[in-house]
Amino acid sequence: MTSKIMPLAEAVGRFVKDGHTIAMEGFTHLIPFAAGHEVIRQARRELTLVRMTPDIIYDQLIGMGCAKSLVFSWGGNPGVGSIHRFRDAIENGWPRPLAIQEHSHADMAGRYQAGASGLPFSVLRGYVGSDLPKHNPNIRSITCPFTGERLAATPAINPDVTVIHAQKADREGNVLIIGIVGVQKEAVLAAKAAIVTVEEIVDRLEAPMNSCVLPHWVLAAVCEVPYGAHPSYAHGYYGRDNAFCKAWDPISRDRDTFLAWMKEHVLGTKDHAGFLKSAGITPIGRDAIHG
Amino acid sequence: MTSKIMPLAEAVGRFVKDGHTIAMEGFTHLIPFAAGHEVIRQARRELTLVRMTPDIIYDQLIGMGCAKSLVFSWGGNPGVGSIHRFRDAIENGWPRPLAIQEHSHADMAGRYQAGASGLPFSVLRGYVGSDLPKHNPNIRSITCPFTGERLAATPAINPDVTVIHAQKADREGNVLIIGIVGVQKEAVLAAKAAIVTVEEIVDRLEAPMNSCVLPHWVLAAVCEVPYGAHPSYAHGYYGRDNAFCKAWDPISRDRDTFLAWMKEHVLGTKDHAGFLKSAGITPIGRDAIHG
Amino acid sequence: MADANYTSTEIMTIEAARRLKNGTVCFVGIGMPSAAANLARLTHAPEVVLIYESGTIGAKPRVLPLSIGDGELAEYADTVVSVPEIFRYWLQGGRVDVGFLGAAQVDRFGNINTTVVGNDYAKPKVRLPGAGGAPEIASNAKETWIIIKQSKRTFVPKLDFLTSVGHLDGGDSRARSGARGAGPTAVITDLGVLAPDPVSRELTLVAIHPGITVEQAVASTGWDLKVAATLARTAPPTASELETLRDLHARTAKAHGTLAME
Amino acid sequence: MADANYTSTEIMTIEAARRLKNGTVCFVGIGMPSAAANLARLTHAPEVVLIYESGTIGAKPRVLPLSIGDGELAEYADTVVSVPEIFRYWLQGGRVDVGFLGAAQVDRFGNINTTVVGNDYAKPKVRLPGAGGAPEIASNAKETWIIIKQSKRTFVPKLDFLTSVGHLDGGDSRARSGARGAGPTAVITDLGVLAPDPVSRELTLVAIHPGITVEQAVASTGWDLKVAATLARTAPPTASELETLRDLHARTAKAHGTLAME
């Protein structure tokens, strides 16, 4: 079998195409920042971006004009405030109008589950009394054939490509995720192709028996990208860079400041190591933290 | 808070009532044999028994007349052959007629999931072309509100009591399951009350972060019953007693032999330790096996 | 603030914490709900069960999480499950006693807006973060509590957007809607506590914090606020409550101020 | 058996094993499918991915499991997931290349009965174990293989009960039914191999094992068996195949004969 292990630039180049539906997942933990930057570097356009919690990386993708639409359930910079490029796109259509399809977390999680499960739709007890269904034609209802109850139904999500970050992979490309696992397994299994960036590639995965493992044969590409989740965190490797998250707020408030920062640190560098160096980021190493 | 830790006889006495719907789960691993014996000892009647894989313990419950009906997807003595009391009940109505509601594994698993999820029904791509829906009015169909596809729909399972066996609990009653976890978490969370027998109660659970843990507050009772899964196995504690499973075949073929065996070893003993001694069973201790 | 010994945020957090009983299963929103829930755990309710939507069950963070998915939550949890599981098996499965929420706006029936400010959804004046877990917390927990600073900006006569259901249009409209649970049973603010009228379900001021007047509460409400016939007065923070809360915030600031694992 | 050097079960198992390609994802039934799949893994297909319905993914048992959920399967798996997950995400999710099944009865279109013998479901002559995972394996795997000893008792003109779908009524009836995947592409027996006719989908004898005659196969079939124009002859077991299979069975017997962890 050909190896799934390849450089990130190659993975994005091969699998992420203009017009694709792309999900980058990671629930505050293990957010695939390095991969998002690579999509920006390779100037993908007309993307439909899917993510439960669009935060800084989606702010950057939106602000750089990669996205035509966004499917989400909560958009913000956790613990800090708004994401300004997201707001500017919705409120003012800059740099281009952004169509939104808005759900709740429970529903987004269920939609990924349906996608992973080969089902066309998901059922939930949700949205009771909420205005969200009025603005989202994908939130419909379904009647239980046994009790007659009406429940919400929404379509499965099956991204063209799902991108996640994980702690480690072995040399075959089997991936282990530890800690807050979010919706990553579902997002990967729902996708037509999945790219996983990892902190390190190891000889033996040493996965506990019932842990979250993604076998290599469900993945399209596995890329070793240390600190690839910065400024989010990788449990057991490094903590979240709260200072960066706070510093992002003023950078992203102003269009020109934002563009200058992205040009210098993302477009102006060739990979994640270059980005970290350019942006003056020194993540806390694994020795300094517990995990 | 009052402790959930109590003797098995007390747990069965308090929570398992005549006429209840009872699920005892464990997918070849961790089958709650000791608890099943206690239900037989306490002579519960008119039970609706639910289990994906009715095997020897359900053979015993059925043969002893505890059950009026059975909801299942595969009935047999794994690696050995038929379960004869189950067959005798279905084929000949002995000791009493047994109504059956028959599903597939995928469906039973989904029905428990719906029960655990607070949903009234489960959806699956199942039973295509099969005769099972003709004989089970609980297998219906539902139409996807997005694609128009027809899929199978079945009602949630919400047992009055679910009974499982696990490796260990801590003194608060938090339970850890390791290895083949089957449908146990779903069966417990779907139930109105759950009884868990465990190999041992320990000071600290030492559960890996993403392992299968059932917190004490979702359980009704936790009972320390060493070798409570015999003749099935408990990963890390003892292996399956294949000799017993093979020996069960001739014991259970004949009604009188079966009754005599049950009277001597189950009805004639007061607890699981007594049963093991009476039946001459010496499970392989944890030192003798890996895992 | 009448008493210089504590802030309005502190009394709000402390009063919310006091209401959490030991052993209660609480689905905790980030921010003020999380501060109150952890204060309860560190004071009178050591066995309160805290669930965060990131999948952490029985979380016992040493410092307050900055995000809903901080490593701190996982590190000291009884177990960590997936996000689909937390919503399906634990919230929708009916395992949550109290859903503890923040809000940008509430109306007189405890309905919540966290979506947009301005009445054109497609072209909002302010785009808020959105629903997150709240719509299903609000409709599946056995009851919900809302913690919010009270002002005419937050306590509005009509929501710009109904994100998460409270008592809907009042009366029995919530029950008829198919929502489960009792809905908002308490709204804890920096001025006092509101609870729904047993019949109309309109939020009624039932307690005020020390040094706060009814007039202040009325003036900080965007509708004609009803006041209970017998109004309770919140007990001032005890020295121990204040010390525990401040220690927690100090530890939190120290941890989050650095790049260390929070 | 024409050749005393191996049994009919051995050639059946070996011929089934040969068909499994390296890297194929195989959802494995217990018994003969498991023996064949593990033989493939121990010979030409070390990277075949074996999934058992007990939730073990990438199982690499050292001895054959006696049950579908032996500890052996978990111990040497890439990962162990729940039973709901294995059916939802992995089988129904479309991740399985080959569903490898046993059967009590098959008909000329590869439909399977594992439910009852006798045509009264409510009062069966013989109550069989039932469906297990087979109905959804048969309708969700990219293709299915059936391994079964061939006789008039097992190869029946009409099933007493259709448990798991094959090519249904032949022709395009399977495709129209909503079943996914190609259905049964091979039925491996102790006499030879059958494959569906490309148009009618009727099972056709395409290969016979060494020493077996077409007449034997016809005589062991409960319908008028079609025979391919060019009939292949199965290659006899190699010494290495036989030795590997027998070693596996010997290890298995040794392990299962004791009370040790199998």
Side-chain angles (χ1 to χ4, degrees):
Chain A
M1 282 176 286
T2 55
S3 174
K4 305 287 179 64
I5 297 171
M6 65 184 76
L8 175 58
E10 182 185 340
V12 170
R14 279 174 61 183
F15 297 106
V16 180
K17 303 294 179 192
D18 287 357
H20 264 178
T21 295
I22 308 291
M24 301 188 191
E25 283 295 349
F27 200 84
T28 72
H29 179 212
L30 295 171
I31 301 172
F33 272 89
H37 287 168
E38 188 56 32
V39 170
I40 293 168
R41 263 185 217 108
Q42 296 195 17
R44 290 294 178 279
R45 289 296 178 269
E46 299 292 316
L47 300 178
T48 292
L49 292 178
V50 186
R51 177 166 167 75
M52 290 182 66
T53 54
D55 41 28
I56 295 173
I57 189 61
Y58 269 36
D59 210 33
Q60 296 178 348
L61 284 154
I62 291 164
M64 294 302 283
C66 300
K68 69 172 178 191
S69 68
L70 176 69
V71 182
F72 76 110
S73 41
W74 188 92
N77 184 350
V80 179
S82 288
I83 43 175
H84 301 290
R85 297 298 96 227
F86 157 86
R87 281 185 57 180
D88 201 11
I90 294 176
E91 294 168 14
N92 309 303
W94 189 92
R96 51 165 297 170
L98 181 70
I100 59 171
Q101 193 191 106
E102 191 166 359
H103 294 265
S104 66
H105 278 353
D107 186 16
M108 286 292 286
R111 295 185 65 195
Y112 278 122
Q113 281 195 304
S117 300
L119 291 175
F121 69 103
S122 166
V123 176
L124 82 157
R125 287 190 187 277
Y127 297 116
V128 177
S130 174
D131 287 339
L132 280 163
K134 295 179 195 168
H135 298 280
N136 184 340
N138 267 338
I139 304 173
R140 300 185 189 171
S141 70
I142 198 161
T143 302
C144 172
F146 301 94
T147 64
E149 283 172 281
R150 302 281 287 177
L151 296 120
T154 51
I157 296 175
N158 289 105
D160 291 303
V161 182
T162 287
V163 183
I164 66 166
H165 186 75
Q167 277 97 343
K168 55 185 174 176
D170 65 20
R171 296 189 192 287
E172 276 194 306
N174 301 300
V175 167
L176 173 63
I177 310 178
I178 289 178
I180 290 175
V181 295
V183 73
Q184 281 98 302
K185 182 186 261 193
E186 290 75 14
V188 162
L189 294 177
K192 298 182 184 80
I195 298 172
V196 185
T197 55
V198 295
E199 287 301 320
E200 60 175 338
I201 292 175
V202 296
D203 289 329
R204 291 174 53 85
L205 211 49
E206 309 284 6
M209 193 174 280
N210 301 112
S211 54
C212 182
V213 170
L214 294 165
H216 65 87
W217 49 274
V218 302
L219 306 175
V222 174
C223 316
E224 191 173 35
V225 185
Y227 306 114
H230 175 276
S232 79
Y233 73 103
H235 207 113
Y237 287 78
Y238 48 91
R240 197 174 58 218
D241 189 344
N242 292 313
F244 182 92
C245 296
K246 285 172 189 163
W248 181 250
D249 191 77
I251 293 167
S252 62
R253 273 182 193 270
D254 179 79
R255 293 173 183 174
D256 292 336
T257 315
F258 164 78
L259 285 175
W261 194 93
M262 293 300 293
K263 278 178 185 149
E264 181 179 354
H265 302 304
V266 179
L267 299 181
T269 56
K270 73 175 205 327
D271 59 18
H272 193 60
F275 163 79
L276 293 173
K277 192 167 171 217
S278 166
I281 293 160
T282 317
I284 297 288
R286 56 194 309 183
D287 296 338
I289 53 114
H290 64 90
Chain B
M1 282 176 286
T2 55
S3 175
K4 306 290 179 65
I5 297 172
M6 63 184 77
L8 176 57
E10 182 186 340
V12 168
R14 280 175 60 183
F15 297 106
V16 179
K17 304 293 178 193
D18 287 358
H20 265 179
T21 295
I22 308 290
M24 300 187 192
E25 283 295 348
F27 201 85
T28 72
H29 179 214
L30 295 171
I31 300 172
F33 271 89
H37 286 169
E38 188 55 33
V39 171
I40 292 168
R41 263 186 217 107
Q42 297 194 19
R44 290 293 178 280
R45 290 294 177 269
E46 299 291 317
L47 301 177
T48 292
L49 292 178
V50 185
R51 178 167 165 76
M52 290 182 65
T53 53
D55 40 29
I56 293 173
I57 187 62
Y58 269 36
D59 210 31
Q60 295 178 349
L61 283 154
I62 291 164
M64 295 302 284
C66 301
K68 70 172 177 188
S69 69
L70 177 69
V71 182
F72 76 108
S73 40
W74 188 91
N77 184 351
V80 178
S82 289
I83 44 176
H84 300 290
R85 298 297 97 226
F86 157 86
R87 281 186 55 180
D88 202 7
I90 294 176
E91 293 168 13
N92 309 304
W94 189 93
R96 52 166 297 174
L98 181 71
I100 58 169
Q101 192 191 107
E102 192 166 359
H103 294 266
S104 65
H105 279 353
D107 186 15
M108 286 292 284
R111 294 185 65 196
Y112 278 121
Q113 281 195 303
S117 301
L119 291 174
F121 69 102
S122 166
V123 176
L124 82 159
R125 288 188 186 277
Y127 297 118
V128 177
S130 174
D131 286 339
L132 280 164
K134 294 179 195 166
H135 299 279
N136 185 341
N138 267 338
I139 305 173
R140 300 185 188 171
S141 71
I142 198 161
T143 302
C144 172
F146 300 94
T147 65
E149 283 171 280
R150 302 282 285 178
L151 295 120
T154 51
I157 295 176
N158 290 105
D160 291 303
V161 183
T162 286
V163 183
I164 66 165
H165 186 76
Q167 277 99 342
K168 55 186 174 175
D170 64 20
R171 296 189 193 286
E172 276 195 306
N174 301 301
V175 167
L176 173 64
I177 311 178
I178 288 175
I180 290 175
V181 295
V183 75
Q184 281 99 304
K185 179 185 264 192
E186 289 76 14
V188 163
L189 293 178
K192 297 181 186 80
I195 298 171
V196 184
T197 55
V198 295
E199 286 301 320
E200 59 174 341
I201 291 174
V202 297
D203 289 327
R204 290 174 54 85
L205 211 50
E206 309 284 4
M209 190 173 284
N210 300 113
S211 54
C212 183
V213 170
L214 294 165
H216 65 88
W217 49 274
V218 302
L219 306 174
V222 175
C223 316
E224 191 174 36
V225 186
Y227 306 115
H230 175 277
S232 79
Y233 73 103
H235 207 114
Y237 287 77
Y238 47 93
R240 196 173 58 219
D241 189 344
N242 291 314
F244 181 93
C245 296
K246 284 172 191 163
W248 180 251
D249 191 77
I251 293 167
S252 63
R253 271 181 195 272
D254 179 78
R255 293 173 184 173
D256 293 335
T257 315
F258 164 76
L259 286 175
W261 193 93
M262 292 299 292
K263 276 177 189 151
E264 181 179 355
H265 301 304
V266 178
L267 299 182
T269 55
K270 74 174 205 327
D271 60 16
H272 193 59
F275 163 79
L276 293 173
K277 194 171 169 209
S278 165
I281 292 160
T282 315
I284 296 289
R286 57 193 308 185
D287 296 340
I289 54 115
H290 64 88
Chain C
M1 187 81 311
D3 186 330
N5 291 329
Y6 53 92
T7 70
S8 61
T9 302
E10 284 172 339
I11 183 71
M12 172 166 66
T13 306
I14 288 166
E15 176 57 20
R18 288 170 178 163
R19 291 167 175 261
L20 259 185
K21 292 197 184 75
N22 205 16
T24 295
V25 178
C26 182
F27 201 105
V28 187
I30 206 64
M32 286 189 292
S34 177
N38 279 290
L39 178 60
R41 186 176 60 77
L42 295 171
T43 54
H44 66 282
E47 290 173 337
V48 67
V49 177
L50 305 190
I51 297 182
Y52 289 77
E53 67 191 18
S54 51
T56 49
I57 296 175
K60 291 170 274 293
R62 299 160 312 166
V63 304
L64 292 174
L66 188 66
S67 86
I68 202 82
D70 277 18
E72 182 78 15
L73 296 172
E75 195 73 38
Y76 304 100
D78 292 333
T79 185
V80 181
V81 303
S82 74
V83 165
E85 179 176 326
I86 205 77
F87 282 106
R88 294 251 148 183
Y89 293 176
W90 300 85
L91 177 62
Q92 190 176 265
R95 296 286 174 185
V96 172
D97 297 320
V98 173
F100 203 168
L101 297 170
Q105 293 180 335
V106 294
D107 68 13
R108 72 174 70 206
F109 295 116
N111 301 298
I112 292 174
N113 175 20
T114 55
T115 303
V116 288
V117 176
N119 50 25
D120 184 356
Y121 172 78
K123 190 92 182 134
K125 221 164 77 186
V126 181
R127 175 63 229 196
L128 300 170
E136 285 72 30
I137 297 171
S139 64
N140 286 292
K142 287 173 195 153
E143 60 184 301
T144 52
W145 299 352
I146 302 165
I147 186 164
I148 181 172
K149 292 205 175 188
Q150 191 167 350
S151 74
K152 290 209 165 172
R153 199 175 54 79
T154 59
F155 273 52
V156 298
K158 186 168 168 24
L159 297 179
D160 289 328
F161 192 99
L162 197 168
T163 311
S164 303
V165 71
H167 295 292
L168 208 55
D169 303 315
D172 65 348
S173 61
R174 179 191 166 94
R176 283 187 286 108
S177 75
R180 299 194 294 181
T185 54
V187 178
I188 301 108
T189 82
D190 51 338
L191 304 181
V193 180
L194 299 90
D197 177 89
V199 177
S200 73
R201 299 287 160 194
E202 182 169 333
L203 291 178
T204 304
L205 187 69
V206 295
I208 49 173
H209 298 325
I212 303 295
T213 64
V214 170
E215 291 65 36
Q216 277 177 281
V218 169
S220 302
T221 303
W223 66 84
D224 184 17
L225 180 66
K226 290 209 160 56
V227 179
T230 50
L231 193 63
R233 175 69 69 176
T234 307
T238 67
S240 157
E241 284 170 338
L242 264 184
E243 191 188 332
T244 306
L245 179 59
R246 288 173 183 175
D247 281 357
L248 177 61
H249 278 305
R251 284 201 303 280
T252 301
K254 193 170 170 217
H256 288 172
T258 73
L259 298 189
M261 175 78 97
E262 67 276 28
Chain D
M1 188 81 312
D3 187 329
N5 290 330
Y6 54 89
T7 69
S8 62
T9 302
E10 285 173 337
I11 183 70
M12 173 167 65
T13 306
I14 288 166
E15 176 57 19
R18 287 168 178 163
R19 291 167 177 261
L20 257 186
K21 291 197 184 76
N22 205 16
T24 294
V25 178
C26 183
F27 202 105
V28 187
I30 205 64
M32 286 190 290
S34 178
N38 279 291
L39 178 59
R41 185 175 60 78
L42 295 171
T43 54
H44 66 283
E47 291 173 335
V48 68
V49 177
L50 306 189
I51 296 181
Y52 289 76
E53 66 192 16
S54 51
T56 49
I57 297 175
K60 291 169 273 292
R62 298 159 313 166
V63 304
L64 291 175
L66 188 66
S67 86
I68 204 82
D70 278 16
E72 183 77 17
L73 295 173
E75 196 73 41
Y76 304 100
D78 292 332
T79 185
V80 181
V81 303
S82 73
V83 165
E85 179 176 326
I86 206 77
F87 282 106
R88 293 251 147 181
Y89 292 177
W90 300 86
L91 177 61
Q92 189 177 265
R95 295 286 175 185
V96 172
D97 297 320
V98 173
F100 202 169
L101 298 168
Q105 294 180 334
V106 293
D107 68 12
R108 72 174 70 206
F109 294 116
N111 301 300
I112 291 174
N113 175 19
T114 55
T115 304
V116 289
V117 175
N119 50 26
D120 184 356
Y121 172 78
K123 191 90 183 132
K125 222 164 76 188
V126 182
R127 174 64 229 197
L128 301 169
E136 284 73 31
I137 298 171
S139 63
N140 285 293
K142 287 174 194 152
E143 61 184 299
T144 52
W145 298 353
I146 302 165
I147 186 164
I148 182 172
K149 290 204 175 188
Q150 191 166 352
S151 74
K152 289 208 165 172
R153 198 174 55 79
T154 58
F155 274 52
V156 298
K158 184 165 169 28
L159 297 180
D160 289 327
F161 191 99
L162 196 168
T163 311
S164 304
V165 70
H167 296 291
L168 208 55
D169 303 314
D172 64 350
S173 61
R174 177 190 169 93
R176 283 186 286 106
S177 74
R180 300 193 294 179
T185 53
V187 179
I188 301 109
T189 82
D190 51 337
L191 305 181
V193 180
L194 300 89
D197 177 87
V199 177
S200 73
R201 298 287 159 192
E202 181 169 333
L203 292 178
T204 305
L205 188 69
V206 294
I208 50 174
H209 298 325
I212 304 296
T213 64
V214 170
E215 290 66 33
Q216 278 176 279
V218 168
S220 303
T221 304
W223 65 84
D224 183 16
L225 180 66
K226 291 210 160 55
V227 179
T230 51
L231 193 64
R233 175 69 70 177
T234 307
T238 66
S240 156
E241 286 170 336
L242 263 184
E243 190 187 331
T244 306
L245 179 60
R246 287 173 182 174
D247 281 355
L248 177 61
H249 279 304
R251 285 200 303 279
T252 300
K254 193 169 170 220
H256 288 172
T258 74
L259 298 190
M261 177 77 97
E262 68 274 27

